[in-house]
Amino acid sequence: MNPALISAQAAVVVPTLLLIDDEPNILSSLRRLFHGNGYRVLTATSGASGLEILEREAIDLVISDMRMPEMDGARFLAQVRARWPDTVRILLTGYSDVQSIQDAINCGEIYRYVNKPWDDHDIVLLVRDGLERRQLELDKRRLEVLTARQNDELKALNQSLEAKVEARTAQLKAEHEATVAANNKLKQNFITTIKIFSSMIELRAHNQPGHARLVANMARQIAVKLDLAARDVQDVFIAALLHDIGKIGFSDTLLSTPLTLLHGDALGQFRKHPLRAAELLMPLEELRGSAAILRGQNERFDGTGFPDGAAGLAIPIGARILALAADYYNLQQGVTVQRHLRADEARSLIVGASGTRYDPNVVTAFRQIVDNGDGTDKGGVELLSGELLPGMVLARDLVSRDGLMLLSADHVLDARIIEQVRDFEEKSGRRLTVRVRNPKGAK
């Protein structure tokens, strides 16, 4: 025989029936009937002996006669119900005793009752239905227990997953914050490097100390006033810091000669500095926006500028801003004309060139700024080095009188930096004025 078939047959559980009646011939008839239908059949002649069998055997269904000596069927089935509630209970009665049947129903909670004489077919179907109902009830309970256990396991798993998700989320958040902080630090260091390089260019170009930062601050304020995007504002600011980088190879004579006095080869060389500036920055992807601005810084709104002769809106907006900001301070420092103009004189010349040399919209933004101040950053409070405390934040770059940038704006001062500032003053013999934003918020 096929081993798999044997295993399947062995797995089939044959239901066990317990028949109880004090009349041997009735027990014999019932035993033959149910044994022939494939059931395992046990018998007892009294309620007491039936209880003894139930204590030893796993009984699926009991059929008990009602009229028995010492213990009737109702009392017997009531004990079965109390002690073995999963066992199906059927009452067999030969009398039309309604009260006895009610007692059996109420006390024993019987499944059905059968009158004597019974119909073999009916009683077999009744037993089969009772066992099927019992099996369904047991399966239901097992499923409920299994479901409850799985729900508990799922709940525990969800709690574990939630804890893991929270932990991972916290980790990712910390990593993100660390990345953002590192990126911000990198950007700050990048701008600081640009400012240092700008200071070096100023030393070579014989400009007054802080000239490039004045131009850059004005250009940034105009860009903000015109609602440029943050990235475009930064490109303008960086371009302004480096607007003289193309002059790095000029001779001292060329650098010190006002623009209005340049002629011939000197003027030709000067006109190449925007191209040279763009070429120097173009290899750096981060500075390509600034490179385009530097290329167009000497274009004129009316199209008569250089190097490309671009006109109007064809000139990058950053270049239109830089052209005005640079000229405003160049006019005051004698870079453009022979004499140093006052700020109001430089303003008048720029306003008068609106629509020719400069973009009228840029001129309007410029006027709104200078008419409310001088365009420089007046935020914060000025302190002497002896008044500095750890935790204070620089409101603007700290620059020596020679134009050397010592510290970048937004730098948070600590005890070591403050000591270095005081040491610099002692060695240079010059006092520094430091502008900070939070003198009361120092740690």
Side-chain angles (χ1 to χ4, degrees):
M1 183 176 292
N2 191 328
L5 181 59
I6 295 175
S7 175
Q9 291 176 342
V12 177
V13 178
V14 178
T16 299
L17 310 183
L18 175 59
L19 312 176
I20 304 172
D21 201 303
D22 58 343
E23 297 183 30
N25 59 327
I26 292 179
L27 286 179
S28 178
S29 296
L30 290 172
R31 182 171 57 248
R32 286 195 304 272
L33 175 63
F34 290 113
H35 187 74
N37 280 275
Y39 297 109
R40 178 173 176 253
V41 181
L42 302 177
T43 61
T45 57
S46 66
S49 60
L51 293 175
E52 292 178 359
I53 294 175
L54 282 163
E55 290 176 351
R56 300 191 310 267
E57 300 281 350
I59 304 301
D60 300 301
L61 180 144
V62 296
I63 301 177
S64 174
D65 186 23
M66 182 62 196
R67 297 287 184 175
M68 294 186 297
E70 299 180 358
M71 182 185 298
D72 64 15
R75 291 172 56 198
F76 169 73
L77 292 175
Q79 291 200 39
V80 174
R81 175 220 170 193
R83 299 171 64 182
W84 299 279
D86 292 334
T87 299
V88 181
R89 299 170 295 282
I90 296 177
L91 179 66
L92 188 63
T93 177
Y95 304 90
S96 299
D97 189 345
V98 176
Q99 185 61 47
S100 297
I101 295 174
Q102 288 179 349
D103 291 343
I105 293 173
N106 293 333
C107 299
E109 293 185 359
I110 63 174
Y111 172 62
R112 294 285 190 276
Y113 70 91
V114 179
N115 290 317
K116 295 178 183 178
W118 64 81
D119 180 274
D120 285 352
H121 178 71
D122 290 344
I123 196 171
V124 168
L125 289 179
L126 182 64
V127 167
R128 182 185 301 166
D129 291 344
L131 291 172
E132 288 178 354
R133 178 182 176 184
R134 174 180 183 272
Q135 188 60 48
L136 289 174
E137 183 65 27
L138 293 176
D139 290 344
K140 176 187 173 184
R141 292 180 189 175
R142 280 195 295 269
L143 288 175
E144 288 174 348
V145 171
L146 177 62
T147 301
R149 185 175 71 249
Q150 290 178 339
N151 285 340
D152 290 341
E153 293 174 353
L154 184 60
K155 183 178 180 181
L157 178 61
N158 285 339
Q159 291 175 345
S160 175
L161 288 175
E162 288 176 0
K164 290 180 180 178
V165 169
E166 289 178 0
R168 181 56 177 161
T169 300
Q171 180 184 359
L172 290 175
K173 182 179 179 182
E175 292 175 355
H176 174 71
E177 290 175 350
T179 301
V180 170
N183 190 44
N184 290 338
K185 184 65 174 178
L186 186 62
K187 289 181 179 179
Q188 183 178 353
N189 290 342
F190 173 73
I191 296 297
T192 300
T193 302
I194 295 295
K195 289 179 177 179
I196 292 173
F197 191 41
S198 175
S199 296
M200 295 170 61
I201 295 173
E202 284 185 351
L203 294 175
R204 175 67 185 87
H206 303 295
N207 286 327
Q208 292 183 5
H211 167 76
R213 278 181 292 280
L214 290 173
V215 175
N217 285 333
M218 173 62 74
R220 176 163 53 185
Q221 290 181 79
I222 295 174
V224 171
K225 183 72 69 174
L226 293 173
D227 292 326
L228 269 62
R231 178 56 189 266
D232 294 332
V233 172
Q234 178 171 295
D235 286 345
V236 171
F237 181 71
I238 292 174
L241 286 173
L242 302 176
H243 71 279
D244 281 334
I245 191 174
K247 302 176 183 178
I248 199 73
F250 285 8
S251 66
D252 290 343
T253 301
L254 181 56
L255 287 171
S256 60
T257 303
L259 178 59
T260 55
L261 299 180
L262 293 179
H263 302 284
D265 292 341
L267 180 60
Q269 187 177 357
F270 175 84
R271 290 188 169 186
K272 292 179 181 178
H273 86 84
L275 293 173
R276 183 181 296 274
E279 291 171 356
L280 289 172
L281 299 190
M282 192 58 68
L284 297 174
E285 184 175 352
E286 189 69 20
L287 296 181
R288 287 180 181 173
S290 298
I293 293 172
L294 291 179
R295 181 184 179 97
Q297 64 178 306
N298 285 112
E299 300 289 355
R300 292 173 55 100
F301 198 72
D302 61 5
T304 61
F306 60 89
D308 302 311
L313 301 184
I315 305 170
I317 180 62
R320 285 177 264 152
I321 293 171
L322 176 56
L324 186 152
D327 282 358
Y328 179 62
Y329 290 105
N330 285 338
L331 288 168
Q332 297 177 56
Q333 296 182 13
V335 176
T336 305
V337 294
Q338 288 179 274
R339 71 183 184 90
H340 293 236
L341 302 183
R342 297 190 311 273
D344 61 325
E345 292 176 321
R347 174 191 177 283
S348 297
L349 284 177
I350 289 174
V351 172
S354 177
T356 55
R357 171 76 175 95
Y358 310 110
D359 179 349
N361 290 329
V362 176
V363 173
T364 299
F366 164 75
R367 291 181 61 183
Q368 291 173 353
I369 294 169
V370 297
D371 289 348
N372 294 321
D374 63 0
T376 58
D377 182 9
K378 293 295 185 181
V381 176
E382 287 190 350
L383 299 177
L384 298 176
S385 62
E387 300 173 295
L388 299 177
L389 295 172
M392 291 181 175
V393 180
L394 291 181
R396 66 185 182 191
D397 298 336
L398 179 59
V399 183
S400 71
R401 293 187 180 181
D402 297 328
L404 177 65
M405 192 181 73
L406 305 177
L407 292 171
S408 177
D410 299 322
H411 192 95
V412 180
L413 300 178
D414 56 28
R416 181 180 60 84
I417 292 296
I418 294 173
E419 184 61 32
Q420 289 179 351
V421 171
R422 293 170 182 167
D423 184 63
F424 178 85
E425 286 183 326
E426 183 179 348
K427 291 180 178 178
S428 65
R430 295 179 179 179
R431 305 193 70 138
L432 297 173
T433 300
V434 185
R435 185 174 290 275
V436 297
R437 282 202 300 269
N438 60 337
K440 296 181 180 180
K443 299 178 181 178

